[in-house]
Amino acid sequence: MKIVAIIGSAFGSKSRVAVNYTINKIKEVRADAEVEIIDFSDLQFPFADGREYLQYEGEVGQALKKMMEADGLIIGTPIFQASMPGTLKNLFDMLPVNAFRNKVAGMIVTAGSEKHFLIPEQQIRPVLSYMKANLVPNYVFITDKDIIRQEIKNPDIEFRLDRFVDDFFLLLDTYQTMIQQKEAAYDF
Amino acid sequence: MKIVAIIGSAFGSKSRVAVNYTINKIKEVRADAEVEIIDFSDLQFPFADGREYLQYEGEVGQALKKMMEADGLIIGTPIFQASMPGTLKNLFDMLPVNAFRNKVAGMIVTAGSEKHFLIPEQQIRPVLSYMKANLVPNYVFITDKDIIRQEIKNPDIEFRLDRFVDDFFLLLDTYQTMIQQKEAAYDF
Amino acid sequence: MKIVAIIGSAFGSKSRVAVNYTINKIKEVRADAEVEIIDFSDLQFPFADGREYLQYEGEVGQALKKMMEADGLIIGTPIFQASMPGTLKNLFDMLPVNAFRNKVAGMIVTAGSEKHFLIPEQQIRPVLSYMKANLVPNYVFITDKDIIRQEIKNPDIEFRLDRFVDDFFLLLDTYQTMIQQKEAAYDF
Amino acid sequence: MKIVAIIGSAFGSKSRVAVNYTINKIKEVRADAEVEIIDFSDLQFPFADGREYLQYEGEVGQALKKMMEADGLIIGTPIFQASMPGTLKNLFDMLPVNAFRNKVAGMIVTAGSEKHFLIPEQQIRPVLSYMKANLVPNYVFITDKDIIRQEIKNPDIEFRLDRFVDDFFLLLDTYQTMIQQKEAAYDF
C-alpha cells in the first residue's frame, strides 16, 4: 500500500504539523503502508513547462514517479488567496490529465478563518476530480488558532485526523477491492 | 491609465496571441493607456516564500510593483488541470490579500474544450474577487481550434476581444470616476 | 429608480429582518427610490412550467413584471442545504435567461454558520451572473446569532448593511450612467 | 437494494428519457434492485415550509420516506439558469441535513450546451455532498441534440449510461459492504 503525503506550501508550518500527525497515525494503524512525503520546503520543483512527467530527472523525477505509483494521496495544504498555493497547483500541472485515476485522495487544509471552510470543496476538489482521484468525502479543516508553536492544541483536531485516517483507508481498501474485481472481470 | 496584461503560462502560445491582439486594440482606441506585459516565458518568477512584495528586487520586484500600481489588469491564461496554471496562481500568492482593490480586471481564457467554459467563473473569478478586483462581467473564452499557427482564425473571436476592450474601459473609466467621487466625499 | 427586494424563503424571519432594515435605510438615503418587496410568505409562486414570464397573470405576473422592470435587485436569502432555497431558484426559473441584464444586484445572506460564508459566492453569484446581473462585489453575510427575536443584535451588521446600501447605489448610479452613455453612443 | 430515481423537472422530457433508459438497464442487470421513480410531472410537491419530512402525508410523504430509505439515488435533471431547477432544490429542502448519509448518488444531466458541462460539478455536487451522499465520480452529461423526439439518438450516450449503471452499482455494492463492516466493528 503506497501512500504519498504532500505538504502543499514551502513556507508556514501548520500543514506540515497536521500531515506529520497523520503520517504517525497511519504508521500506528497500518503496518502495510509505505509513506513518502513531498515537502516543498525540502524539494524545490521547477515550474511546469509542458514536458511529460517521465522526462524529469533526479529528485523531482523521483517524486513525480512516486505520485504516479501511489495508491493513496494525502494532500495537506494551506489556503493562499482563496485557493490552493501556486506551488501545489504547479505540481499538479506537471502530471498527466488522468494522473490520479484509481487513486484515493484526502485533503487536510489549514486556513486563517472558518470563512474559508468551503475553499477545499470549491477550489481543490474539482482539480483532483478532474485528475480522476476518488476523494474521501470529508476533509479535515483546521483553523490557524488550533496549531500553535508547531503543536496541535485542540484535541478535536486530533480526533478528526484519526477519523480521517480511518475513512481514508476504508475508501482505499474499498477501491483496491473494486479495482481487483474489475481486473478479474476483464480476464474472463 | 496604467494597464498590466499578464500572460499566465510559460509555455503554449494561444493566450499570448489573444493578449497581443487585445493590447494592439487597446493602443488603437486608447492613446492614454500605458500597457505593460508580464509574460512568464520572458520573466521567471520564484515561488512565493511569504515575503512582502516590496522585498523583491530586480525585474521581479518591478513587475510586482507595476501590478500594484495598475488601474486595470488583463489576465490572459490557458486552463491547466481544470484551473489556472500554477505559475499564475504563484504570482497572485506573491501579492497582498487586497492587492486588486480599486482595480478593474478582465479575463481572456484559452482552453482545449467548450466543456471548460465555466472554469474562469468558478476557479479564477473567486481568487480575483478575494483580492478585491472589480471584474468585467463577461470574459472571452477561446477554444484552441480558433488559434492556429499563432493566428486568430475565427473573426468572432476578434469581435469578442474588441467588445471586451470596450467593456473593460467602460468599467475602468466608471470605477475611476467612482473612486474620485468617493475620495471627494471623504474630504468633506 | 426602481428597486425590487426579494425575501428568498417562505419560512424563517432572519432574512426578512435584514431586508427590512435595508429597505428603511434606502428610503432614508434615497428619496428617488421606489422599493417593491417580493416576500414568499405573502405571495406563493407556482413551480416554473416553461411558460414565458408575460403569460403569468395576477399577483404572480405583477411580481415577475416588476422584477423585469427593476433597475436594482436586493436578494435577501437564507442558505438551505448549502445553496439558495428552492423557492428562490424557482423564481429565477420563471424568468428569461438574460432577465437581469443592465440591472445591479446585491446579496444579503443569513446562515447558521460562518462555514457557509462562501456559498453566496459559489452557488448564488454564478446564477445571477448567468442571468447577466451586475453584482455588488461584496455581500452582507449574517450568521443566525446576530438576529434574535426579529432584531439585529450586532451593530456591526447594521454598519455593514448601511455600507452595502452605499455600495449598491454607487454601482447602480454607475451602471445607469454607463447605460445612458452606451445608448447615446448608439444614437450617432 | 432500494433505488430511487428522480426526474428533476416538471417540464421538458429529455431527463425523463435518459432516466427511463437507465432504469431499464438497471432492471436488466440487477434483478435485486427495486426502483421507484419520483417524477415532478406526476407528483407536485409543495414548497418546503420548515416541517420535518415525517410530517408530510399522502403521496408526498410516501415519496420523501422512500428517498430516506433508499440505498441509492439517481438524479436525472436538466440545467435551468446555470443550476438545478427550483423544483429539485425544493425537494432537497424538504429533507434533513444528513438525508443522504450512507447512500450512493449518481447524476444524469441534460443541458442545452457543452458550456454547461461543469454545472453538475459546481452547483449540484456540493449540495449532495453537504447532504452526505457518496457520489459516483463521473456523471453523464447529455446535450439536448442527443435526444430527439423522446429518443436517444447518439449511441455514445447509451454506452455512457450503461457504464454509469456499472459504476453506480460497483460503488453501491462497495458502500454496502463498507457499512456492514463498520457496523460489525461497532458491535465488538
Side-chain angles (χ1 to χ4, degrees):
Chain A
M1 192 78 83
K2 291 177 182 171
I3 311 296
V4 171
I6 299 161
I7 297 165
S9 162
F11 62 101
S13 61
K14 289 170 202 271
S15 294
R16 182 173 302 106
V17 170
V19 169
N20 284 342
Y21 177 92
T22 306
I23 291 170
N24 287 336
K25 185 72 192 175
I26 289 174
K27 289 184 175 161
E28 198 183 306
V29 297
R30 293 290 292 230
D32 63 331
E34 297 166 43
V35 188
E36 294 280 344
I37 302 175
I38 294 178
D39 184 338
F40 294 118
S41 69
D42 285 340
L43 175 57
Q44 173 109 6
F45 285 78
F47 281 104
D49 58 8
R51 254 184 288 176
E52 293 278 320
Y53 82 96
L54 285 166
Q55 294 177 279
Y56 288 92
E57 291 178 357
E59 283 186 294
V60 165
Q62 285 294 340
L64 296 177
K65 223 173 133 212
K66 274 172 192 158
M67 285 185 75
M68 293 298 288
E69 288 167 358
D71 302 302
L73 298 170
I74 287 169
I75 292 160
T77 183
I79 296 298
F80 288 175
Q81 304 285 32
S83 186
M84 75 184 97
T87 37
L88 181 59
K89 182 57 174 53
N90 180 64
L91 176 60
F92 296 152
D93 293 347
M94 299 172 86
L95 295 171
V97 167
N98 294 329
F100 300 158
R101 189 188 294 281
N102 290 337
K103 298 188 201 315
V104 163
M107 298 185 278
I108 298 169
V109 176
T110 55
S113 159
E114 292 263 303
K115 289 184 178 176
H116 293 170
F117 178 71
L118 288 171
I119 291 175
E121 181 77 33
Q122 296 282 2
Q123 290 278 318
I124 310 179
R125 181 189 296 274
V127 171
L128 298 174
S129 289
Y130 180 78
M131 297 175 79
K132 302 287 184 232
N134 299 297
L135 277 133
V136 180
N138 292 313
Y139 48 88
V140 183
F141 182 84
I142 303 170
T143 47
D144 288 352
K145 65 182 183 345
D146 290 325
I147 297 178
I148 297 166
R149 288 203 200 105
Q150 314 223 13
E151 269 184 63
I152 298 173
K153 289 298 182 193
N154 180 347
D156 178 55
I157 301 298
E158 297 185 346
F159 173 79
R160 287 196 278 134
L161 288 168
D162 293 351
R163 203 179 51 186
F164 169 82
V165 170
D166 285 349
D167 290 347
F168 181 81
F169 279 103
L170 195 50
L171 196 65
L172 187 45
D173 293 339
T174 302
Y175 270 97
Q176 295 284 315
T177 309
M178 280 169 62
I179 293 162
Q180 284 160 17
Q181 283 175 5
K182 265 194 176 171
E183 282 171 357
Y186 287 132
D187 282 345
F188 296 100
Chain B
M1 191 78 81
K2 292 177 183 170
I3 311 295
V4 171
I6 299 161
I7 297 166
S9 163
F11 62 101
S13 61
K14 288 170 201 271
S15 294
R16 181 173 304 105
V17 171
V19 169
N20 283 343
Y21 177 93
T22 306
I23 291 170
N24 288 337
K25 184 73 190 173
I26 289 174
K27 288 183 176 162
E28 197 183 307
V29 297
R30 292 291 292 231
D32 63 330
E34 297 166 43
V35 188
E36 294 280 343
I37 302 175
I38 294 177
D39 184 338
F40 294 118
S41 69
D42 285 341
L43 176 56
Q44 172 109 6
F45 285 79
F47 282 103
D49 58 8
R51 255 183 288 177
E52 293 278 318
Y53 82 95
L54 285 165
Q55 294 177 278
Y56 288 93
E57 291 178 357
E59 283 186 294
V60 165
Q62 286 294 341
L64 296 176
K65 223 173 133 213
K66 274 172 191 158
M67 284 186 75
M68 292 299 288
E69 288 167 358
D71 301 302
L73 298 171
I74 287 169
I75 293 160
T77 183
I79 296 298
F80 288 174
Q81 304 284 34
S83 186
M84 74 184 97
T87 38
L88 181 58
K89 182 55 174 54
N90 180 63
L91 175 60
F92 296 152
D93 293 346
M94 298 171 87
L95 296 171
V97 167
N98 294 330
F100 301 157
R101 190 187 293 281
N102 291 337
K103 298 187 198 318
V104 164
M107 299 184 278
I108 298 169
V109 177
T110 56
S113 160
E114 292 263 304
K115 289 185 178 174
H116 293 170
F117 179 71
L118 289 171
I119 290 175
E121 181 76 32
Q122 296 283 1
Q123 290 278 318
I124 310 179
R125 180 188 297 274
V127 171
L128 298 173
S129 288
Y130 181 78
M131 296 174 79
K132 302 287 183 235
N134 299 297
L135 278 134
V136 180
N138 292 314
Y139 48 88
V140 183
F141 183 84
I142 303 170
T143 48
D144 288 352
K145 65 182 185 343
D146 290 326
I147 298 179
I148 296 166
R149 289 206 198 102
Q150 314 222 13
E151 269 184 62
I152 298 173
K153 290 297 180 192
N154 180 348
D156 178 54
I157 300 298
E158 297 184 347
F159 173 78
R160 288 196 278 136
L161 288 168
D162 292 352
R163 203 179 51 185
F164 169 82
V165 170
D166 286 350
D167 290 346
F168 181 82
F169 279 104
L170 193 50
L171 193 63
L172 187 44
D173 292 341
T174 311
Y175 266 100
Q176 297 280 318
T177 309
M178 279 170 64
I179 293 163
Q180 284 160 16
Q181 282 175 4
K182 264 195 178 173
E183 282 170 358
Y186 287 131
D187 283 345
F188 294 101
Chain C
M1 192 78 82
K2 291 176 182 171
I3 311 294
V4 171
I6 298 161
I7 297 166
S9 162
F11 62 101
S13 61
K14 289 171 201 271
S15 294
R16 181 173 304 105
V17 170
V19 170
N20 283 342
Y21 177 93
T22 307
I23 291 171
N24 288 336
K25 185 73 191 173
I26 288 174
K27 289 183 175 162
E28 197 185 307
V29 298
R30 293 289 293 229
D32 64 332
E34 296 167 42
V35 188
E36 294 280 343
I37 302 175
I38 294 177
D39 184 337
F40 294 117
S41 68
D42 285 340
L43 176 56
Q44 173 109 5
F45 285 78
F47 282 103
D49 57 10
R51 256 183 288 176
E52 293 277 319
Y53 82 96
L54 285 166
Q55 295 176 279
Y56 288 92
E57 293 177 356
E59 282 186 295
V60 165
Q62 285 294 341
L64 296 176
K65 222 174 134 213
K66 274 172 192 159
M67 284 185 75
M68 293 298 289
E69 288 168 358
D71 302 303
L73 298 170
I74 287 170
I75 292 159
T77 183
I79 296 298
F80 289 174
Q81 303 285 33
S83 186
M84 75 183 98
T87 37
L88 181 58
K89 182 57 174 54
N90 180 63
L91 176 60
F92 296 153
D93 293 346
M94 298 172 87
L95 296 170
V97 167
N98 294 330
F100 300 158
R101 190 187 293 284
N102 289 338
K103 297 187 199 320
V104 163
M107 297 185 279
I108 298 170
V109 176
T110 55
S113 158
E114 292 264 302
K115 289 185 177 173
H116 293 170
F117 178 71
L118 288 171
I119 291 175
E121 180 76 33
Q122 296 283 1
Q123 290 278 318
I124 310 178
R125 180 189 297 274
V127 172
L128 298 173
S129 289
Y130 180 78
M131 296 175 79
K132 301 287 184 235
N134 300 297
L135 277 133
V136 180
N138 291 314
Y139 48 87
V140 183
F141 182 85
I142 303 171
T143 47
D144 288 351
K145 65 180 184 344
D146 289 327
I147 297 179
I148 297 167
R149 290 204 197 105
Q150 314 223 13
E151 270 185 60
I152 298 174
K153 289 298 181 192
N154 180 348
D156 179 55
I157 301 298
E158 298 185 346
F159 174 78
R160 287 196 278 136
L161 288 167
D162 292 352
R163 203 179 51 185
F164 170 82
V165 170
D166 285 349
D167 291 346
F168 180 82
F169 279 103
L170 195 49
L171 196 64
L172 187 45
D173 293 340
T174 300
Y175 271 97
Q176 296 284 315
T177 310
M178 280 170 61
I179 293 161
Q180 284 160 18
Q181 284 175 4
K182 266 194 174 170
E183 280 170 358
Y186 287 132
D187 282 346
F188 295 100
Chain D
M1 192 78 83
K2 292 176 181 169
I3 310 295
V4 171
I6 299 161
I7 297 166
S9 162
F11 61 102
S13 62
K14 288 170 202 271
S15 294
R16 182 173 302 105
V17 170
V19 169
N20 283 343
Y21 177 93
T22 307
I23 291 171
N24 287 336
K25 185 73 191 173
I26 288 175
K27 288 183 176 163
E28 197 184 307
V29 298
R30 292 291 292 229
D32 64 330
E34 298 167 44
V35 188
E36 294 280 343
I37 302 176
I38 294 176
D39 184 338
F40 294 118
S41 69
D42 285 340
L43 176 56
Q44 172 108 8
F45 285 79
F47 282 104
D49 57 9
R51 254 185 287 176
E52 293 277 318
Y53 81 95
L54 285 166
Q55 295 177 279
Y56 288 93
E57 292 177 359
E59 282 186 295
V60 165
Q62 285 295 340
L64 296 177
K65 224 175 133 211
K66 274 172 192 158
M67 285 186 74
M68 292 299 288
E69 288 168 358
D71 301 302
L73 298 169
I74 287 170
I75 292 159
T77 183
I79 296 298
F80 289 175
Q81 303 285 32
S83 186
M84 74 184 99
T87 39
L88 181 59
K89 182 56 173 54
N90 180 64
L91 175 60
F92 296 152
D93 292 347
M94 299 172 86
L95 295 171
V97 168
N98 294 330
F100 300 158
R101 188 188 294 282
N102 291 338
K103 297 189 200 316
V104 163
M107 299 184 278
I108 298 169
V109 177
T110 55
S113 158
E114 292 264 303
K115 289 184 177 175
H116 293 170
F117 179 71
L118 288 172
I119 290 175
E121 180 77 33
Q122 296 283 2
Q123 289 278 318
I124 309 179
R125 181 189 297 274
V127 172
L128 298 174
S129 289
Y130 180 77
M131 296 174 80
K132 303 287 183 234
N134 300 297
L135 278 133
V136 179
N138 292 313
Y139 47 88
V140 183
F141 182 85
I142 303 170
T143 48
D144 288 352
K145 65 181 184 345
D146 290 327
I147 298 179
I148 296 166
R149 290 205 198 104
Q150 313 222 13
E151 269 185 62
I152 299 172
K153 289 297 181 193
N154 180 348
D156 179 55
I157 300 299
E158 297 185 347
F159 174 78
R160 287 196 279 135
L161 288 168
D162 292 352
R163 203 180 51 187
F164 169 82
V165 170
D166 286 350
D167 290 347
F168 181 81
F169 279 103
L170 194 50
L171 194 64
L172 186 44
D173 292 340
T174 311
Y175 265 102
Q176 297 281 317
T177 309
M178 279 171 65
I179 292 162
Q180 285 161 16
Q181 283 174 3
K182 264 195 178 171
E183 283 170 356
Y186 286 133
D187 282 345
F188 295 101

